Amino acid sequence: MSGAPVSAGFIPLVDAAPLIVAREIGFAEEEGIDLTLRAAPSWSTLRDRLMLGQIEAAHMLFPMPVAAALGLGGIGARLDILMVLSLNGNSIGVSRRMAARMRAAGYEFDFADARRAGEALIAATEGRLRVGVPFPYSMHAELLYHWLGSLGLRAPQDLDVHTVPPPLMAEAMAEDQIDAFCVGAPWGSIAVETGVGELLLPGSAIRARAPDKVLAVRHDWAEAEPVLTRRLMRALWQAGRWLARPENRTTAVELLAQRAYLDLSAELIERALSGNVVISPRGELRRVNDYMTFHGGAAGYPWTSQAALVASRLAGRLGLDRASSMAAAGAICRTDLYRANLADLGADLPAETARIEGANTVPQTVAGLNGEVILPPDAFFDGWIFDPEA
């Protein structure tokens, strides 16, 4: 490859696909950058490499830059969210022992109804529920806190939440360290394949179109390198559009399965990209529309209200000032760069930078800078909404 060098870090997950596709299919090269991808063993390692300048960009959990903006973790460097790389893509799993108790009580594992699933899980829990998440500041944690909290379980009073790197989640369950988990694909399927767990819900059952991974860079790098920032964003946006086309799925699976990236069986990766999910060692199959989304309906747009929602929740749990936390989080969502750098590609560009989160139970048409934008449903399972102006 030729072009200006840019290094980006990632965790071996299916939703790292936009970075992998941008390099392997050639979108990065077409934009004039030589994109080098570096796998990291954990989210904290990835964050620190970015903050220390060892890489220029990262595939990152949406709440991580938000937490950094609030002074939580890391070394204090400001991280900007340039774009959302993927929506949803997580699964909630339970141990075989927990699943057996739930099935004995009559729960049928429909992989769809978050309220019934949560009630069945709570009823089957003996003592405190032990849950694994990949990182404290993650959509995995936020989804779990919202889901279980709305059904009466509060953290930390009723929950033991453990941080477990995604590749170790099945092992932690096998060693009886956790009763349940929320983890990104394909690591939930690994727990099924190894016989240690069953899948209870997709993350999308808790909230439709929840932002999950983002493209994060240091603020000072984005300011110093506007041309490289533009090229990188354009390459990844085009990769997301390519991934959204069903005819490209087989090629995408083959790329992700390579040793340099996920180094896993193509079948496990295909389940996440297709939404055809095997939920138990017995081979039970469930179909989930929009299990993981990379493009369409302004999927990549970094709404300031999404960051404000996470900041509000973090502030509430940690005793921080809510208003200042929300303002700091909104400031790192670079809607300005998204609009400037992607407009001529035909990206959906909403006219507003914020919205009421979770309010769409049906598709909604909103004003856009390049014409109207159709926003798909983004509702929470319990009807909760977040108004950043409230």
Side-chain angles (χ1 to χ4, degrees):
M1 297 180 69
S2 61
V6 175
S7 60
F10 73 100
I11 297 290
L13 292 161
V14 174
D15 55 30
L19 281 166
I20 296 167
V21 165
R23 173 181 167 79
E24 296 293 337
I25 297 298
F27 296 115
E29 186 174 20
E30 289 173 3
E31 288 294 333
I33 57 176
D34 181 0
L35 182 60
T36 300
L37 303 182
R38 298 178 181 173
S42 69
W43 289 112
S44 57
T45 299
L46 181 63
R47 175 200 60 198
D48 292 347
R49 287 177 181 175
L50 182 61
M51 287 186 163
L52 291 169
Q54 296 172 357
I55 53 178
E56 283 81 51
H59 153 252
M60 188 168 281
L61 295 162
F62 180 82
M64 288 182 73
V66 175
L70 274 55
L72 303 172
I75 58 175
R78 169 175 160 173
L79 301 179
D80 282 353
I81 296 173
L82 299 184
M83 60 196 300
V84 176
L85 293 178
S86 63
L87 308 175
N88 296 122
N90 300 311
S91 60
I92 294 164
V94 296
S95 68
R96 295 295 299 280
R97 183 183 308 167
M98 181 70 78
R101 290 202 292 266
M102 294 172 70
R103 289 182 185 274
Y107 184 66
E108 297 178 349
F109 280 72
D110 64 12
F111 206 59
D113 189 328
R115 183 174 299 279
R116 287 189 62 245
E119 290 171 348
L121 174 61
I122 292 169
T125 299
E126 299 174 348
R128 292 169 61 85
L129 181 64
R130 303 169 300 165
V131 184
V133 297
F135 199 71
Y137 311 126
S138 64
M139 288 307 295
H140 313 82
E142 296 304 319
L143 289 171
L144 282 171
Y145 289 142
H146 180 89
W147 174 49
L148 296 175
S150 71
L151 298 175
L153 285 191
R154 304 292 180 180
Q157 300 95 315
D158 308 309
L159 293 172
D160 288 331
V161 180
H162 301 261
T163 300
V164 182
L168 301 180
M169 200 66 77
E171 181 179 331
M173 185 164 277
E175 294 177 354
D176 194 32
Q177 298 173 15
I178 54 175
D179 306 304
F181 59 66
C182 183
V183 72
W187 299 105
S189 291
I190 295 292
V192 172
E193 289 301 297
T194 55
V196 302
E198 300 190 19
L199 298 185
L200 179 62
L201 282 176
S204 57
I206 299 173
R207 187 195 177 181
R209 294 177 69 84
D212 198 70
K213 303 301 190 306
V214 298
L215 175 64
V217 300
R218 295 184 314 280
H219 175 73
D220 59 359
W221 184 82
E223 295 298 296
E225 300 286 355
V227 174
L228 290 184
T229 298
R230 173 181 170 84
R231 292 176 179 179
L232 180 61
M233 292 179 68
R234 292 168 67 85
L236 291 176
W237 185 88
Q238 292 175 88
R241 181 175 60 183
W242 183 93
L243 280 161
R245 295 170 178 157
E247 64 268 23
N248 294 330
R249 185 179 301 147
T250 298
T251 301
V253 168
E254 292 171 352
L255 292 176
L256 295 175
Q258 292 182 68
R259 182 180 297 274
Y261 301 125
L262 272 63
D263 193 22
L264 292 170
S265 78
E267 180 185 354
L268 294 180
I269 297 168
E270 198 277 338
R271 291 178 192 175
L273 292 180
S274 68
N276 294 316
V277 184
V278 177
I279 68 163
S280 76
R282 290 180 294 280
E284 295 170 278
L285 183 67
R286 300 289 185 269
R287 168 67 185 166
V288 184
N289 292 325
D290 299 323
Y291 178 78
M292 180 183 297
T293 301
F294 298 105
H295 186 76
Y301 191 66
W303 295 95
T304 60
S305 48
Q306 292 175 338
L309 188 163
V310 172
S312 176
R313 289 297 185 89
L314 290 174
R317 290 200 298 272
L318 300 175
L320 306 177
D321 180 76
R322 181 175 180 269
S324 60
S325 295
M326 289 170 56
I332 68 170
C333 295
R334 301 302 301 272
T335 55
D336 57 332
L337 296 181
Y338 194 90
R339 290 168 168 175
N341 292 334
L342 302 178
D344 65 313
L345 292 178
D348 288 331
L349 302 176
E352 302 295 333
T353 61
R355 61 176 180 172
I356 299 176
E357 296 289 329
N360 292 354
T361 57
V362 296
Q364 179 184 7
T365 300
V366 300
L369 301 184
N370 288 339
E372 293 182 334
V373 176
I374 299 175
L375 301 179
D378 71 330
F380 289 83
F381 81 99
D382 57 348
W384 184 78
I385 62 172
F386 173 77
D387 184 348
E389 300 298 326

